[in-house]
């Protein structure tokens, strides 16, 4: 047992929650393959590791593991799942410890096995950015936070009540990070990086209007034809995927960009005539709000 403890020193349990679940120890995958993505082991580990500080009540744990299934002795069934989970973790090379501790009806992940979780790291970057006074360092932290969000929180478990709640919360945090990063990039006129950020957000959170960030950056860089092509491609994509017309947010930006290029070739307009034009001077920046100025579920 002491040998196994020594072997585990300096290691950390790596937990991925964004874009799908995986669990790794010492560089080796413990769980996360397609075959095991829906297992009770995963349900247990997701719940315990994400709530490792405050713990999880036995009632909540049993609801998540068994939902509405008719089980004669649900307490015994839960103990069996925990016992099998401990065996699996031990077999994966973790130190021989009591990984799951129970105190006064609350289950906790042991503090003796450190955990790195991508969702927690993302939130920590967001909070650090909010505390930072220096604009340049603040921007750097917001950009790191945006890149740390690599997809929806546990998308395969989106129907589970606690997962849905956390997914919505992390989506809102990502929106807040994007809003602040775009604001700071616009203020510093770093439009190339703003374009890259818009592209990243679009790939991570599609159908959420992030194309407007890229479009604004392209226009500010004088790349009007690229901006027009992006608009047309986006309109086609949204209509093809969801049967949606351009959002109010996108049409607002479209109208503001009217002074910068001809709109005669645009396939969507707000009327049968030409769209209203924004009478700005050519050098004036377009300070359009980011998609999250609307509801977090943009479309």
């Amino acid at each position: 047992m002491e040998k196994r403890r020594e072997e585990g020193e300096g290691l950390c349990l790596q937990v991925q929650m964004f874009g799908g679940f995986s669990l790794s120890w010492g560089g080796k995958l413990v769980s996360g393959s397609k075959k095991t993505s829906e297992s009770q082991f995963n349900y247990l580990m997701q719940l315990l590791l994400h709530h490792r500080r405050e713990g999880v009540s036995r009632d909540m744990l049993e609801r998540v593991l068994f939902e509405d299934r008719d089980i004669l002795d649900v307490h015994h069934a839960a103990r069996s799942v925990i016992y099998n989970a401990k065996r699996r973790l031990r077999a994966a090379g973790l130190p021989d410890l009591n990984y799951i501790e129970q105190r006064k009806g609350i289950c906790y992940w042991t503090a003796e096995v450190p955990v790195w979780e991508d969702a927690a790291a993302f939130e920590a970057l967001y909070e650090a950015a909010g505390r930072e006074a220096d604009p340049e360092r603040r921007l750097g932290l917001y950009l790191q936070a945006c890149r740390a969000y690599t997809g929806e929180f546990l998308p395969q478990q989106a129907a589970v009540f606690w997962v849905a709640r956390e997914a919505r919360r992390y989506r809102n945090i990502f929106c807040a990070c994007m809003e602040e990063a775009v604001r700071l990039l616009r203020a510093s006129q770093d439009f190339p990086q703003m374009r890259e950020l818009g592209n990243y957000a679009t790939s991570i959170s599609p159908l959420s209007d992030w194309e407007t960030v890229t479009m604004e950056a392209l226009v500010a860089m004088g790349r009007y034809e690229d901006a027009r092509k992006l608009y047309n491609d986006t309109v086609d994509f949204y209509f093809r995927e969801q049967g949606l017309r351009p959002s109010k947010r996108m049409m607002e930006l479209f109208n503001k960009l009217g002074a910068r290029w001809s709109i005669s070739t645009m396939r969507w307009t707000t009327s049968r005539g030409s769209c209203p034009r924004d009478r700005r001077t050519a050098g004036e920046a377009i300070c359009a709000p980011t998609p999250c100025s609307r509801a977090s579920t943009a479309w």
Side-chain angles (χ1 to χ4, degrees):
M1 182 173 176
E2 289 301 320
K3 183 179 179 181
R4 293 293 293 275
R5 283 176 183 265
E6 292 172 4
E7 290 173 352
E9 287 182 1
L11 295 178
C12 181
L13 194 62
Q14 301 279 328
V15 184
Q16 176 186 326
M17 299 286 195
F18 290 143
F21 177 68
S22 71
L23 195 63
S24 302
W25 175 261
K28 295 180 180 179
L29 194 66
V30 177
S31 185
S33 67
K34 292 182 180 178
K35 184 178 179 181
T36 60
S37 61
E38 299 288 331
S39 71
Q40 286 185 324
F41 173 79
N42 281 357
Y43 297 153
L44 174 66
M45 298 307 294
Q46 290 162 5
L47 190 62
L48 282 176
L49 294 172
H50 187 65
H51 298 95
R52 58 192 176 277
R53 292 183 178 85
E54 68 271 26
V56 179
S57 70
R58 188 174 65 181
D59 288 344
M60 181 177 178
L61 188 148
E62 290 170 354
R63 285 203 310 274
V64 170
L65 289 178
F66 308 114
E67 299 182 34
D68 297 327
R69 280 183 282 176
D70 187 14
I71 296 176
L72 186 61
D73 189 344
V74 70
H75 298 329
H76 175 74
R79 285 194 296 270
S80 295
V81 172
I82 291 173
Y83 174 77
N84 291 330
K86 290 179 177 179
R87 289 183 59 187
R88 181 168 175 175
L89 292 168
R90 195 173 297 114
L94 273 73
D96 192 358
L97 300 167
N98 182 24
Y99 313 112
I100 302 169
E101 303 169 355
Q102 299 184 57
R103 301 191 295 271
K104 298 181 179 179
I106 305 294
C107 297
Y108 298 90
W109 177 258
T110 178
E112 294 190 67
V113 177
V115 174
W116 180 90
E117 181 197 5
D118 58 353
F122 163 67
E123 190 166 5
L125 284 167
Y126 167 66
E127 291 174 350
R131 295 190 298 267
E132 180 56 59
D134 180 75
E136 187 174 346
R137 287 196 293 268
R138 185 183 178 92
L139 172 60
L141 288 167
Y142 276 125
L143 290 173
Q144 287 183 58
C146 289
R147 298 284 181 174
Y149 184 81
T150 55
E152 284 284 303
F153 181 83
L154 295 178
Q156 292 177 323
Q157 316 299 337
V160 179
F161 67 96
W162 77 269
V163 174
R165 180 190 64 221
E166 287 294 85
R168 183 169 55 252
R169 187 171 71 86
Y170 286 121
R171 196 181 307 121
N172 288 339
I173 292 175
F174 176 65
C175 281
C177 289
M178 283 291 299
E179 284 184 333
E180 282 300 304
V182 168
R183 184 183 65 80
L184 291 166
L185 288 170
R186 187 186 291 123
S188 63
Q189 298 188 354
D190 190 347
F191 297 112
Q193 187 159 208
M194 182 173 163
R195 172 177 169 265
E196 291 180 9
L197 186 63
N199 287 338
Y200 176 78
T202 298
S203 69
I204 290 301
S205 184
L207 297 170
S208 297
D209 242 8
W210 292 118
E211 293 88 353
T212 54
V213 172
T214 305
M215 194 185 304
E216 180 186 343
L218 287 171
V219 172
M221 294 163 65
R223 296 174 57 174
Y224 307 129
E225 288 302 317
D226 288 340
R228 181 170 60 183
K229 183 179 185 302
L230 175 61
Y231 175 88
N232 286 333
D233 290 346
T234 300
V235 166
D236 284 346
F237 175 71
Y238 278 87
F239 185 77
R240 187 174 63 251
E241 293 295 319
Q242 298 289 335
L244 297 170
R245 298 177 69 90
S247 67
K248 179 181 177 182
R249 164 72 189 93
M250 185 166 288
M251 289 308 301
E252 287 173 353
L253 179 58
F254 170 77
N255 292 335
K256 289 178 180 179
L257 301 186
R260 303 287 184 98
W261 69 60
S262 170
I263 60 172
S264 62
T265 59
M266 293 298 183
R267 288 194 287 271
W268 294 75
T269 61
T270 54
S271 68
R272 291 189 179 273
S274 61
C275 290
R277 305 245 180 180
D278 186 1
R279 305 296 184 182
R280 297 172 187 266
T281 59
E284 188 176 350
I286 299 173
C287 296
T290 54
C292 290
S293 300
R294 301 184 292 117
S296 59
T297 52
W299 289 80

